[in-house]
Amino acid sequence: MGTRILGIESSCDETAAAVVADGCEILSSVVASQIDVHRKYGGVVPELASREHLRRIVPTVREAMELAGIPFSELDAVAVTQGPGLIGALLVGVTYGKVLASSLGKPLIAVNHLEGHVHAVFLQAHQEGKNPQLPAVCLIVSGGHTVLYGVHSEPVVPIRHAYDRAPSDRLHYTRIGQTRDDAAGEAYDKVAKLLALGYPGGPVLEQLAAYGNARAVKFTPPVTRGNPLDFSFSGIKTAVLRHVRAHPEMAGEIAAREESLKRGERKAEQLRPLCSVATLDLIASFQQCVVEDLVNRTLQASEEHAARSVLVSGGVAANSALRKEFEARAYDAGLDAFFPSRTLSTDNAAMIAAAAYPLWAVGAFAGTDLNAEAVMPLA
Ligand code: KG4
Ligand code: ZN
């Protein structure tokens, strides 16, 4: 029968619930996205997010249990995202998880959202019959985070040995680098906003970038003094803004796209005829600069930390150009690159239930005094 853990995720703008067996078999995974609620504000509005989580958490958990086909009584534990994230949003999941676990008489497990993103990679690899070798370097790249971790099998790794991880084995992390300003997904969203291409920006920019010349506009790659493995994306975003200001002829098409968005015509194929060649080139060049920067620093970290695999997770990991570049460059460096599927890349609860399994195995349970944490570093 195995160990079945219900995962609950509510850290940002997705209300999600999932049942995962033995940390690796997804029995169900339901994600209720709030994008339609936040779209007209061009970003996540924290108060609205909390309210939507409240509305959606009960039906989302019910649906996950129904799809898994097991009664609540057969769960082994309830796992919930403790942080990091929006405090009001997290509180909904944490409070609901606490009440559910105690009313069922089941253990409660607190999970770090970032550790969930790491486990999304292992979940996917397991489904493909693969097992990323450790030590690894993991890039978590989303709308809220851009951070590089070393992932090890032991808290201290005196000998860097090859290691096949079992789903119940705990992972240990060291932080190698992080963004000093915007997250990469946030840069996508801000660039999309200033070009009137809707929210969230990533998927539309990715599709439009395919029609532009990525070498047309020269961006200076970000420099992060002190730690060259840190990231910085606000400079690229500002460079796009300056480029638009220097080309006043772009104002007309921006206004036309704003009208298109107001009519609800926000798909890439609806917006593309409203984009000049210059705009498509700008988008392609922006994406190229972001992708190259993410890949360069991650591979440099992999070399410095003698990694055997490269793991990439978070919303931006859904980007095909990023995946292609990582696969090619990691291959050249003699490394395997691993990604979650697109649905496991963005926020979900299967990754939370999977990350809870090693904690379940060692009895690391949370008490009823568990609190949500807006700031919660993994390492
Ligand atoms: O992981 P996620 O669902 O939520 C956060 O924890 O932030 O990531 C959402 C972010 C957004 O900024 C969105 O624009 C970006 O991921 N994103 C993408 C793509 N799909 C989503 N960025 C680039 N290319 C994509 N295909
Ligand atoms: Zn996330």
Side-chain angles (χ1 to χ4, degrees), residues 9-358:
E9 155 65 34
S10 72
S11 65
C12 190
D13 60 341
E14 331 271 4
T15 317
V19 181
V20 174
D22 297 328
C24 57
E25 305 287 348
I26 303 173
L27 303 184
S28 66
S29 180
V30 179
V31 179
S33 168
Q34 304 178 3
I35 282 178
D36 289 339
V37 174
H38 301 287
R39 181 173 278 127
K40 57 176 168 293
Y41 305 99
V44 178
V45 183
E47 291 77 9
L48 293 182
S50 314
R51 205 161 75 197
E52 286 302 304
H53 285 306
L54 270 177
R55 246 169 32 86
R56 296 182 191 204
I57 195 144
V58 172
T60 303
V61 168
R62 265 195 206 139
E63 192 183 341
M65 293 303 295
E66 273 162 28
L67 289 173
I70 59 164
F72 280 99
S73 58
E74 285 183 20
L75 287 173
D76 291 280
V78 175
V80 65
T81 302
Q82 183 185 5
L86 301 170
I87 193 70
L90 288 162
L91 268 171
V92 176
V94 167
T95 309
Y96 179 77
K98 274 203 258 193
V99 173
L100 183 65
S102 78
S103 64
L104 294 171
K106 308 280 182 191
L108 176 69
I109 301 172
V111 175
N112 185 309
H113 180 81
L114 295 166
E115 180 156 39
H117 277 302
V118 178
H119 278 265
V121 185
F122 285 93
L123 257 180
Q124 180 66 29
H126 184 269
Q127 287 177 21
E128 294 171 10
K130 297 176 186 161
N131 199 356
Q133 293 271 297
L134 300 178
V137 158
C138 183
L139 170 71
I140 298 175
V141 58
S142 70
H145 308 278
T146 301
V147 56
L148 267 174
Y149 291 109
V151 183
H152 318 269
S153 53
E154 303 288 339
V156 183
V157 189
I159 306 163
R160 295 185 187 279
H161 55 287
Y163 178 78
D164 271 326
R165 177 183 172 264
S168 61
D169 292 342
R170 277 192 88 165
L171 293 168
H172 300 273
Y173 307 94
T174 48
R175 195 171 62 212
I176 298 172
Q178 63 186 333
T179 185
R180 295 186 178 178
D181 38 59
D182 294 350
E186 197 179 350
Y188 267 94
D189 294 339
K190 287 178 176 170
V191 164
K193 193 171 183 176
L194 80 91
L195 292 175
L197 291 166
Y199 173 84
V204 171
L205 289 187
E206 173 184 352
Q207 289 174 66
L208 295 176
Y211 298 96
N213 172 5
R215 304 280 165 207
V217 183
K218 298 273 173 275
F219 290 110
T220 317
V223 177
T224 49
R225 283 182 226 293
N227 181 3
L229 298 177
D230 274 349
F231 297 93
S232 168
F233 293 106
S234 75
I236 308 175
K237 170 200 68 188
T238 310
V240 173
L241 177 64
R242 264 194 257 109
H243 186 93
V244 171
R245 287 205 180 131
H247 293 81
E249 69 279 10
M250 282 183 169
E253 54 174 304
I254 289 176
R257 291 195 295 269
E258 264 158 13
E259 289 309 312
S260 173
L261 293 176
K262 275 189 206 147
R263 291 193 299 272
E265 292 166 10
R266 63 178 86 91
K267 292 199 179 117
E269 60 266 31
Q270 291 168 319
L271 293 165
R272 186 163 70 94
L274 303 174
C275 293
S276 62
V277 172
T279 293
L280 294 171
D281 286 351
L282 178 64
I283 294 167
S285 305
F286 160 78
Q287 170 159 285
Q288 179 75 19
C289 183
V290 172
V291 164
E292 266 178 17
D293 189 70
L294 290 168
V295 175
N296 285 345
R297 286 181 218 262
T298 305
L299 289 186
Q300 192 186 332
S302 305
E303 198 185 322
E304 286 179 17
H305 291 259
R308 291 178 174 259
S309 10
V310 178
L311 321 177
V312 189
S313 193
V316 183
N319 186 288
S320 305
L322 182 75
R323 286 172 180 244
K324 247 173 85 182
E325 185 78 9
F326 255 118
E327 270 158 10
R329 298 269 309 276
Y331 181 83
D332 289 343
L335 293 163
D336 280 326
F338 295 88
F339 302 85
S341 64
R342 278 180 178 70
T343 43
L344 286 175
S345 292
T346 47
D347 287 350
N348 65 87
M351 68 185 196
I352 302 304
Y357 184 54

